[in-house]
Amino acid sequence: QVQLVESGGGLVPAGESLMLSCAASGRPFINYNMAWFRQAPGKEREFVAAISGSGVNTKYADSVKGRFTISRDNANNTMYLELNRLLPEDSAVYYCAAKFTEFALYSGSQLEEWYDYWGQGTQVTVGS
């Protein structure tokens, strides 16, 4: 009951930054735990970051902690991921994911199978 559309990907040199957006429609946005995952060619999809309904609680994968920042603007039904100091290993298709949890107090699971809804992804390519 929610549609997710990612945007903001592109080709950037190593060390630079990007801001990804995930626009949602459907049930009230605050009722969804939200997360970002990424998948490189030939590899399994991996967890990047998660955020609670209010945005108070967040969780990050060790590989991106300190470099990426997840946030959300519930008034505009949009989630963001700021990617700083990008590395070639960050190159992947980035997906936003959502799970309806009514109150969404918890920051969310790191497990891909926990989420109910997915966007189609946006490509991030980081040069060397």
Side-chain angles (χ1 to χ4, degrees), residues 99-122:
K99 180 179 178 64
F100 180 73
T101 52
E102 186 171 2
F103 297 106
L105 299 176
Y106 172 52
S107 61
S109 176
Q110 301 181 62
L111 301 177
E112 175 183 357
E113 58 266 30
W114 191 73
Y115 294 89
D116 298 320
Y117 306 98
W118 295 84
Q120 296 187 40
T122 185

Side-chain angles (χ1 to χ4, degrees), residues 2-114:
V2 63
Q3 295 174 277
L4 307 173
V5 180
E6 303 95 335
S7 63
L11 174 63
V12 296
E16 297 299 317
S17 300
L18 280 177
M19 178 72 80
L20 306 183
S21 299
C22 175
S25 62
R27 288 185 173 183
F29 193 54
I30 195 171
N31 290 333
Y32 289 91
N33 279 104
M34 302 291 296
W36 289 96
F37 288 77
R38 66 186 183 186
Q39 186 170 24
K43 298 182 179 180
E44 295 184 354
R45 187 151 41 187
E46 65 175 347
F47 171 79
V48 176
I51 190 167
S52 63
S54 69
V56 171
N57 297 317
T58 59
K59 186 185 297 292
Y60 296 92
D62 289 341
S63 60
V64 306
K65 191 173 184 179
R67 297 191 297 120
F68 293 6
T69 301
I70 188 171
S71 62
R72 63 194 296 164
D73 183 354
N74 289 343
N76 292 295
N77 293 350
T78 305
M79 177 182 64
Y80 303 95
L81 183 70
E82 183 181 359
L83 299 77
N84 297 312
R85 300 185 297 281
L86 282 161
L87 303 169
E89 65 193 60
D90 294 318
S91 296
V93 177
Y94 283 72
Y95 298 90
C96 64
K99 180 179 178 64
F100 180 73
T101 52
E102 186 171 2
F103 297 106
L105 299 176
Y106 172 52
S107 61
S109 176
Q110 301 181 62
L111 301 177
E112 175 183 357
E113 58 266 30
W114 191 73

